[in-house]
Amino acid sequence: MDTAEWARIAADPRYIALVRRRRRFTWGLTGVMLAAYLGFILLIAFDKALLARPIGQGVTSVGIVVGFGVILLAIVLTGLYVRRAAREFDPLSEALRSESRA
Amino acid sequence: MTRRAALALAAGVVLMPAPALADALAGETVRQPTNWTAIAMFAAFAVLTLAITRWAARRTRTASDFYTAGGGITGFQNGLAIAGDYMSAASFLGISAQIFTDGYDGLIYSIGFLVGWPIILFLMAERLRNLGRYPFADVASFRFAQPPVRGFAAISTLTVVLFYLIAQMVGAGQLIKLLFGLRYEYAVVIVGVLMTLYVLFGGMTATTWVQIVKAVLLLGSATFMALAVLAQFGFSPEALFARAVAVKTDLAAAAGLDPGAAAVRGRSIMGPGNFIKDPVSAVSFGLALMFGTAGLPHILMRFFTVPDARQARKSVLWATGWIGYFYLLTFIIGFGAIVLVATEPRYLDPAGGLVGGGNMAAIHLAHAVGGNVFLGFVSAVAFATILAVVAGLTLSGASAVSHDLYATVFRKGAADSAAELRVSRRTVLVLAILAILLGIIFEKQNVAFMVSLAFAVAASGNFPVLLLSLLWKGCTTRGVVVGGTLGLVLAVGLTVLSPAVWVTILGHPAAIFPYSSPAIISMPAAFLAIWLVSLFDRSARAAVDRDGYLAQRVRAETGIGAVGGASH
């Protein structure tokens, strides 16, 4: 494929929509993951007592819930991306791909 | 740090000699009595994996088969293989041991190893699959001058691979003494030979299936252990934690603490302890883990084994799920060991430590919940785990040498597939011999820093190069090579000047670089250097680099023109 052909696809409104929506979504998700993890690390560095505090009457601490929460968050964010990519991004890129073959 | 905190820290270190860094087996290990059950089970694993290798060898003809299993692995299979590649023996035994001694701190460590996976998915996986063929350098040099970028990528890949490999080989030697009661050198040779056979004859197909088998066995054993522990507490984690706190309190009281101090000590396992000493080290280490995962060559290579971007995505979801699940299990296993192992005199030596050392917590727990046969099984799985990791590392090192250095830099792209394969196979042999020699040389050394160094190099060299070449039009060949090299050199140099090497290994009184991980300096430095050098790059090559961005970008985003999976 020559430059003109790549430029034609790059100017296609579907391509522009695909790239813009996906970019916003992925950077948003990256930001959430980064904030959650660095927030967790900084919480440990600056307020260990908060994480060590038990929930209710038992021994299970706030920190265990938060830690398990970060693990689940990583899996959930990954799942959210995979779902939206399959529903929304794949049809767009598939349309662009099949036209470029034609 | 206040004086009181320093005293508390010193007391903590004296009372509980925790594994310094859980992902490399730290500390002395003492050879145990020969365990024939474990050896027999490991032999069965070796026979099974060699049969897989034989089957894979018949399907490995071209370079594409050798490096990427012909692109015919499904997302689910690849997800399991990634998990098998990533969950090391040290993370199973080391993290459960850290939880056994310190409780909560082990969880902090394992979370760091998980959070890089979403980042790989959001920023890398699909674009990698759309642009690349074998090693990640295919992506980085899509629009750049081939020889300099390939040269940098090969050197940084080999740096990561060698440090990671040494840590694994030394870990194997320590483990065989503990688990099988055999000599250190046997382990290094067994691992070296088996890994060579897998990679040499079975290439990526055999490596993938060894990793899948290992992942299934490891996840299965860990699931059984966690369920067996929870079953004793009516499947209530709260009841398990409460009992663990009581056990730790009793142990502290028995060690001579007054009741108040003993209760504090018991409760300490439910919150963060001494693992994070200063915020800068913590954030630096966190950055290395999070972004290093997205720059590990043997992990990135796995994305070329699937047929398309969609399957690459699925692989990451499965991998993240399995790895996250594994770390949750490890947490339960560590607490299970507190309750079932620390209270059982037959697992303890006269001084009150674990028979065989701190890393044996999960192994003794296997005996406590499943008797001798299960102990043998878990020991065999733990040792087999190392094979899956080193096979992936070796394959990625071989592809860097044959595809980047030989085919592109030396032969300028004129090498045919057969010649490239020949060079790959020779490289595998050289790497295996090197791994065996280094494994023996480093036997008595503390290699705990090597895995974190590998992550730091990946985060400071590979990751900035990949990210900016994927996302920034203005990025040029010169910028990538200068910035990537700077990141690599800083990561290695600052690690040498850090406490883990400068003080612990070289014996100097104080570290020149005070933080435990270099990433907080080396990663931003690499980004900055790539940006600045590219910005002021007025060479003719820079114009070509920038002009090539459009095609690269459209292909990365849509997959138009991407190499598909082979038909078989």
Side-chain angles (χ1 to χ4, degrees):
Chain A
M1 285 183 30
D2 57 14
T3 314
E5 178 66 6
W6 289 116
R8 187 192 61 74
I9 301 169
D12 190 307
R14 286 166 301 178
Y15 174 82
I16 294 168
L18 170 71
V19 170
R20 188 172 295 157
R21 278 190 235 163
R22 185 157 58 194
R23 184 173 54 206
R24 199 175 297 152
F25 193 45
T26 50
W27 283 111
L29 292 172
T30 304
V32 171
M33 194 67 247
L34 196 64
Y37 178 56
L38 289 182
F40 176 63
I41 293 286
L42 290 173
L43 197 59
I44 296 166
F46 290 109
D47 196 353
K48 290 189 171 58
L50 172 71
L51 291 172
R53 189 175 302 156
I55 296 172
Q57 299 303 310
V59 300
T60 304
S61 62
V62 175
I64 290 190
V65 176
V66 172
F68 280 30
V70 176
I71 292 182
L72 290 181
L73 180 73
I75 299 172
V76 167
L77 292 182
T78 318
L80 282 178
Y81 177 74
V82 168
R83 197 177 66 163
R84 182 157 170 203
R87 286 186 183 170
E88 189 180 331
F89 304 145
D90 278 350
L92 280 172
S93 53
E94 180 51 42
L96 291 164
R97 263 204 309 277
S98 59
E99 271 174 40
S100 87
R101 245 180 256 127
Chain B
M1 191 169 3
T2 64
R3 208 169 143 207
R4 230 170 106 199
L7 279 175
L9 181 68
V13 171
V14 174
L15 281 174
M16 297 181 170
L21 265 174
D23 202 61
L25 290 170
E28 278 294 298
T29 48
V30 185
R31 191 170 144 197
Q32 300 298 300
T34 312
N35 181 346
W36 291 107
T37 323
I39 294 173
M41 289 194 187
F42 177 74
F45 174 85
V47 169
L48 171 70
T49 49
L50 288 175
I52 291 173
T53 305
R54 222 186 107 148
W55 162 80
R58 283 199 290 268
R59 301 161 53 120
T60 303
R61 283 178 222 97
T62 63
S64 156
D65 295 333
F66 184 77
Y67 297 124
T68 68
I73 305 288
T74 68
F76 173 72
Q77 290 165 347
N78 196 38
L80 264 179
I82 290 172
D85 204 339
Y86 199 66
M87 301 179 299
S88 60
S91 69
F92 176 52
L93 301 180
I95 291 179
S96 56
Q98 200 181 12
I99 293 165
F100 174 75
T101 37
D102 292 337
Y104 190 77
D105 279 0
L107 182 66
I108 305 172
Y109 199 78
S110 49
I111 287 172
F113 279 97
L114 183 70
V115 290
W117 286 99
I119 305 297
I120 290 194
L121 174 65
F122 303 151
L123 302 180
M124 300 277 199
E126 292 178 66
R127 296 187 176 107
L128 280 175
R129 182 61 194 84
N130 284 339
L131 291 177
R133 288 181 67 214
Y134 310 142
F136 82 91
D138 288 336
V139 178
S141 50
F142 194 86
R143 61 189 159 120
F144 301 139
Q146 300 282 327
V149 175
R150 297 271 178 188
F152 158 74
I155 289 166
S156 101
T157 298
L158 289 172
T159 310
V160 172
V161 165
L162 275 180
F163 282 119
Y164 220 117
L165 209 51
I166 294 172
Q168 295 296 323
M169 291 309 261
V170 174
Q174 306 293 4
L175 274 184
I176 207 167
K177 294 198 292 188
L178 281 180
L179 303 179
F180 298 172
L182 296 176
R183 284 164 54 88
Y184 179 96
E185 295 78 15
Y186 290 3
V188 174
V189 174
I190 292 173
V191 169
V193 168
L194 280 176
M195 133 195 137
T196 310
L197 293 175
Y198 298 155
V199 179
L200 203 57
F201 298 108
M204 183 52 105
T205 308
T207 302
T208 303
W209 284 99
V210 169
Q211 287 167 345
I212 291 174
V213 169
K214 165 262 177 101
V216 170
L217 291 176
L218 187 59
L219 287 165
S221 318
T223 303
F224 174 76
M225 285 166 74
L227 287 179
V229 167
L230 283 173
Q232 302 205 8
F233 294 91
F235 293 96
S236 156
E238 165 67 24
L240 168 68
F241 298 151
R243 180 80 192 110
V245 168
V247 167
K248 283 283 186 185
T249 307
D250 291 349
L251 286 175
L257 291 184
D258 65 72
V264 170
R265 161 79 59 207
R267 296 214 66 120
S268 72
I269 57 169
M270 301 308 293
N274 298 322
F275 178 60
I276 286 185
K277 295 186 184 68
D278 67 290
V280 178
S281 286
V283 169
S284 188
F285 189 57
L287 288 175
L289 289 182
M290 195 167 189
F291 297 110
T293 308
L296 289 176
H298 62 295
I299 295 289
L300 296 179
M301 194 175 181
R302 291 229 51 92
F303 292 108
F304 306 125
T305 65
V306 292
D308 53 33
R310 193 188 167 89
Q311 297 296 328
R313 225 156 46 208
K314 281 193 183 161
S315 342
V316 189
L317 180 56
W318 280 113
T320 314
W322 290 123
I323 296 168
Y325 171 67
F326 175 71
Y327 287 140
L328 294 180
L329 295 179
T330 323
F331 196 67
I332 301 296
I333 289 171
F335 273 84
I338 294 176
V339 170
L340 299 174
V341 173
T343 53
E344 188 62 52
R346 63 176 155 168
Y347 302 128
L348 305 175
D349 59 25
L354 282 182
V355 172
N359 290 314
M360 290 291 277
I363 301 295
H364 289 315
L365 181 68
H367 185 262
V369 300
N372 276 324
V373 174
F374 189 61
L375 167 80
F377 183 72
V378 170
S379 301
V381 170
F383 191 70
T385 281
I386 291 188
L387 285 169
V389 180
V390 294
L393 286 169
T394 308
L395 191 57
S396 118
S399 84
V401 171
S402 64
H403 194 68
D404 292 336
L405 286 184
Y406 172 75
T408 315
V409 178
F410 295 127
R411 296 290 305 275
K412 312 280 180 224
D416 59 15
S417 170
E420 197 181 316
L421 264 182
R422 232 177 5 255
V423 174
S424 286
R425 294 198 153 119
R426 278 184 207 150
T427 313
V428 171
L429 281 177
V430 171
L431 280 174
I433 292 167
L434 209 58
I436 292 174
L437 288 179
L438 290 172
I440 289 170
I441 290 171
F442 280 90
E443 175 180 357
K444 303 282 181 213
Q445 298 294 320
N446 183 347
V447 296
F449 72 94
M450 285 191 182
V451 169
S452 46
L453 173 58
F455 272 85
V457 169
S460 315
N462 301 351
F463 176 71
V465 163
L466 267 179
L467 195 70
L468 289 182
S469 59
L470 283 173
L471 298 181
W472 184 38
K473 179 176 193 260
C475 197
T476 69
T477 303
R478 195 179 290 169
V480 157
V481 173
V482 172
T485 309
L486 180 74
L488 171 75
V489 170
L490 275 178
V492 176
L494 292 178
T495 299
V496 170
L497 300 178
S498 76
V501 178
W502 198 250
V503 179
T504 311
I505 293 178
L506 299 176
H508 294 279
I512 297 171
F513 182 71
Y515 307 117
S516 60
S517 168
I520 200 163
I521 306 284
S522 54
M523 192 173 95
F527 273 111
L528 195 67
I530 297 174
W531 181 67
L532 280 178
V533 173
S534 299
L535 206 60
F536 292 105
D537 190 352
R538 296 276 174 269
S539 61
R541 180 69 225 181
V544 180
D545 295 339
R546 294 185 188 112
D547 285 347
Y549 183 68
L550 180 70
Q552 179 202 301
R553 180 71 195 265
V554 175
R555 176 163 150 183
E557 296 289 343
T558 61
I560 292 170
V563 185
S567 50
H568 65 249

